[in-house]
Amino acid sequence: PNGRLDTAALQNDGRLLLAGSFQSISGTATTNYARVGTNGLRDPSFAGTNASQNISSLVALPTGKHLASGSFTNISGTPRRFISRLNQN
């Protein structure tokens, strides 16, 4: 990322969720939240997931969903105050 990485969570499929305070990863715009594949490159299927502010904690659930908490007030334009459960994509 081009900023601060605060937390990461490993999914069951080997992909890694990254969160913190950044505006891009691997040269592609993404705000504070991204996923990389097992090859270490940004996962394009995760594009469009953005947090309005910092995500400070992540949990990858066995179901493939994620829990995120932090100082954000929305995720990808949907109101979410400080905690959110997200689908795997």
Side-chain angles (χ1 to χ4, degrees), residues 23-83:
Q23 300 302 310
S24 69
I25 189 164
S26 300
T28 302
T30 186
T31 306
N32 303 326
Y33 198 32
R35 181 170 61 195
V36 295
T38 56
N39 59 3
L41 300 176
R42 186 189 63 82
D43 180 355
S45 71
F46 201 67
T49 303
N50 297 295
S52 62
Q53 297 292 324
N54 185 53
I55 294 175
S56 55
S57 180
L58 282 174
V59 176
L61 302 173
T63 60
K65 295 184 179 192
H66 330 133
L67 292 177
S69 67
S71 58
F72 55 85
T73 56
N74 72 65
I75 300 278
S76 296
T78 302
R80 299 282 185 251
R81 295 188 59 84
F82 313 124
I83 190 164

Side-chain angles (χ1 to χ4, degrees), residues 8-18 36-38 58-62:
L10 184 63
Q11 293 182 240
N12 288 341
D13 61 5
R15 293 182 291 183
L16 188 64
L17 299 166
L18 305 173
V36 295
T38 56
L58 282 174
V59 176
L61 302 173

